[in-house]
Amino acid sequence: MPLLVMKFGGTSVATLDRIARASKRVAREVANGYDVIVVVSAMAGKTNELVGWVEETSPLYDAREYDAVVASGEVVTAGLMALRLQEMEIPARSWQGWQVPVKTTSAHSAARIEEIGTEAINAKFGEGFKVAVVAGFQGISPEGRVTTLGRGGSDTTAVAFAAAFGAERCDIYTDVDGVYTTDPRIEDKARKLDRIAFEEMLELASLGAKVLQTRSVELAMRYKVKLRVLSSFEEYDPNAGTLVCDEEEIVEQNVVSGVAYSRDEAKMTLISVADRPGIASAIFTPLADAGVNVDMIVQNISEDGRTDMTFSCPVGQVARAEKALAQAKDAGSINFRELVADQDVAKISVVGIGMRSHAGIASKMFSVLANEGINIKVITTSEIKISVLVDRKYMELAVQALHDAFDLDKV
Ligand code: ADP
Ligand code: ASP
Ligand code: MG
């Protein structure tokens, strides 16, 4: 029997009515002759509420218990969806991560899937069950504890199941009708893309476009999963949404295909550190050990054997970074005059595989921002993207100006 994976995000299962609506979509695919693995998120807002409860109860929480609490949102929607399908006379069974089992690493709150057991679910399909409803975002560690896969992790659950079960396709149902040239919530003129290359989607996701979790795109790329993003609110249309596919499958290709942003960034500068071999390692090793996700790094010009070192990290990790650097200073492994944290910056990125063969994108980006009076604080580039840090208050303006200047509203 051919198999489909259908994933429903938080807004698509936010109420019992919406679960009923999603179940109808599943029923249609069953009627089309598919066995279906449905992956569900928690109801919209539920995971945030659970995280809030954990933080209120225990600010320096035990990550194992964080996962135990936070994974529960998906458990509820999986059970409700199975019940709804049963009410529609469709044989369905729910599965929590550990029951499948979805085996993960033990990195609580950011675990990676290592293996998915296919036997138990396949046995159920063999018994005549038509649908397995899987609680997304969760798994079980080698120690037998519940783990979660990081925010947005149900996308990754869905793609990993599609790969493990050899699904014909993985459909990600969400609250927008596909992947856009930028977040349609901050740019009205954002245009839906019919297709986007894996590499571009990977960059957009990792640079802030939360429509897909980065890891889900990585897995789809590695295991050649046919991945589609579409709306759970629109009428059924077999060609709807955006297909994430190989570069070769795309005919029309703009040089720049999207603009992404990441709102909650911080820029940290260590003023006057010794400019000597090993200094970068002495700074960034303690930061890595403290779990700080350093993104951009710039070493400024040096004078009299001293230099300034600037890096960016998520704003939520500033306190941790300050503590790690202060400890390194106390231990004598680094010496700096001052640590300056600018907590009001955002990162804006333009992405496109066409940049590999086109020069001039960076200079155009910089002049567009200059014309808007937006100061650029840090720049990084790779083969297919350019990112800048700007003051957070200019974030929307920067996205809109770049979207306009690169004609992203036009094919
Ligand atoms: P779900 O709960 O279904 O997983 P998410 O909220 O995680 O949904 O992701 C969908 C959201 O991603 C959209 O509502 C949209 O605001 C945001 N988004 C950001 N960038 C893009 C983009 N380039 N294309 C589409 N959506 C985007
Ligand atoms: N419910 C989880 C979250 O809000 C996982 C997901 O929805 O993908 O992050
Ligand atoms: Mg999501």
Side-chain angles (χ1 to χ4, degrees):
M1 192 74 80
L3 184 110
L4 275 188
V5 172
M6 302 171 76
K7 179 256 172 178
F8 293 93
T11 40
S12 311
V13 293
T15 61
L16 295 185
D17 276 351
R18 291 202 183 159
I19 290 177
R21 199 173 167 147
S23 302
K24 280 193 196 150
R25 286 192 184 264
V26 176
R28 189 187 325 254
E29 299 296 6
V30 171
N32 286 341
Y34 288 102
D35 282 346
V36 181
I37 295 179
V38 177
V39 174
V40 286
S41 286
M43 289 180 174
K46 191 66 195 173
T47 309
N48 286 344
E49 182 182 48
L50 295 168
V51 170
W53 288 348
V54 168
E55 288 173 344
E56 202 178 319
T57 308
S58 173
L60 292 174
Y61 53 76
D62 176 338
R64 297 170 202 78
E65 301 310 334
Y66 167 99
D67 277 352
V69 175
V70 168
S72 66
E74 273 73 8
V75 172
V76 174
T77 43
L80 288 171
M81 175 83 96
L83 287 170
R84 184 69 242 162
L85 289 162
Q86 290 174 2
E87 287 297 321
M88 297 163 74
E89 314 269 306
I90 295 174
R93 182 63 69 222
S94 75
W95 299 82
Q96 298 177 22
W98 64 271
Q99 292 173 306
V100 174
V102 178
K103 295 186 183 169
T104 72
T105 60
S106 43
H108 284 277
S109 83
R112 287 165 82 95
I113 297 177
E114 301 218 295
E115 195 190 331
I116 292 178
T118 52
E119 237 170 73
I121 287 181
N122 275 334
K124 274 277 178 278
F125 283 138
E127 286 169 29
F129 276 76
K130 291 297 192 195
V131 183
V133 188
V134 173
F137 179 52
Q138 57 183 267
I140 181 168
S141 71
E143 296 77 30
R145 306 294 317 174
V146 171
T147 53
T148 63
L149 310 179
R151 298 305 304 270
S154 296
D155 298 328
T156 299
T157 305
V159 174
F161 271 77
F165 285 83
E168 193 173 299
R169 204 175 59 239
C170 180
D171 284 342
I172 305 283
Y173 286 90
T174 182
D175 56 2
V176 283
D177 61 350
V179 177
Y180 279 69
T181 46
T182 193
D183 187 348
R185 289 183 207 289
I186 72 165
E187 168 58 284
D188 302 340
K189 287 188 273 173
R191 181 172 51 87
K192 185 177 81 76
L193 300 163
D194 292 331
R195 288 170 181 243
I196 185 164
F198 282 119
E199 288 88 346
E200 288 174 324
M201 191 63 241
L202 195 59
E203 289 283 6
L204 287 175
S206 70
L207 295 166
K210 71 166 181 165
V211 61
L212 288 173
Q213 198 196 35
T214 309
R215 181 84 184 123
S216 73
V217 187
E218 264 169 29
L219 286 182
M221 200 164 151
R222 168 144 24 116
Y223 295 105
K224 305 228 167 291
V225 172
K226 200 166 169 191
L227 180 62
R228 191 163 68 140
V229 178
L230 67 172
S231 164
S232 65
F233 299 102
E234 306 230 318
E235 285 308 304
Y236 181 79
D237 169 1
N239 298 315
T242 301
L243 192 68
V244 189
C245 58
D246 283 326
E247 200 175 322
E248 296 74 39
E249 295 173 58
I250 300 177
V251 189
E252 287 288 341
Q253 184 71 57
N254 286 345
V255 178
V256 169
S257 50
V259 181
Y261 64 86
S262 168
R263 186 185 300 270
D264 297 314
E265 302 285 323
K267 171 177 166 256
M268 315 273 288
T269 304
L270 286 152
I271 298 179
S272 188
V273 292
D275 189 14
R276 59 164 171 83
I279 189 67
S281 155
I283 293 171
F284 293 107
T285 305
L287 288 170
D289 291 345
V292 176
N293 297 313
V294 172
D295 179 15
M296 302 165 150
I297 300 176
V298 183
Q299 183 173 339
N300 304 29
I301 200 156
S302 46
E303 216 176 295
D304 304 328
R306 313 290 296 176
T307 185
D308 297 343
M309 188 79 88
T310 297
F311 64 91
S312 69
C313 69
V315 79
Q317 298 181 355
V318 166
R320 218 182 297 171
E322 284 173 338
K323 190 172 161 203
L325 293 169
Q327 281 171 347
K329 190 178 183 184
D330 287 346
S333 55
I334 50 173
N335 189 6
F336 54 88
R337 194 170 71 227
E338 205 185 335
L339 175 60
V340 182
D342 178 352
Q343 307 210 34
D344 296 309
V345 295
K347 182 170 65 175
I348 316 291
S349 311
V350 300
V351 172
I353 38 184
M355 282 186 215
R356 284 191 199 125
S357 48
H358 277 76
I361 304 300
S363 61
K364 181 164 174 181
M365 178 178 190
F366 303 153
S367 34
V368 169
L369 296 174
N371 289 340
E372 298 294 336
I374 301 173
N375 190 29
I376 298 172
K377 301 186 156 203
V378 183
I379 301 166
T380 55
T381 63
S382 78
E383 205 187 7
I384 66 163
K385 71 122 207 266
I386 303 157
S387 298
V388 295
L389 281 189
V390 301
D391 279 332
R392 190 171 304 134
K393 64 180 178 209
Y394 296 128
M395 192 187 84
E396 275 92 354
L397 175 63
V399 170
Q400 289 157 358
L402 291 167
H403 195 271
D404 237 28
F406 286 107
D407 290 328
L408 294 187
D409 53 336
K410 305 183 188 91
V411 184

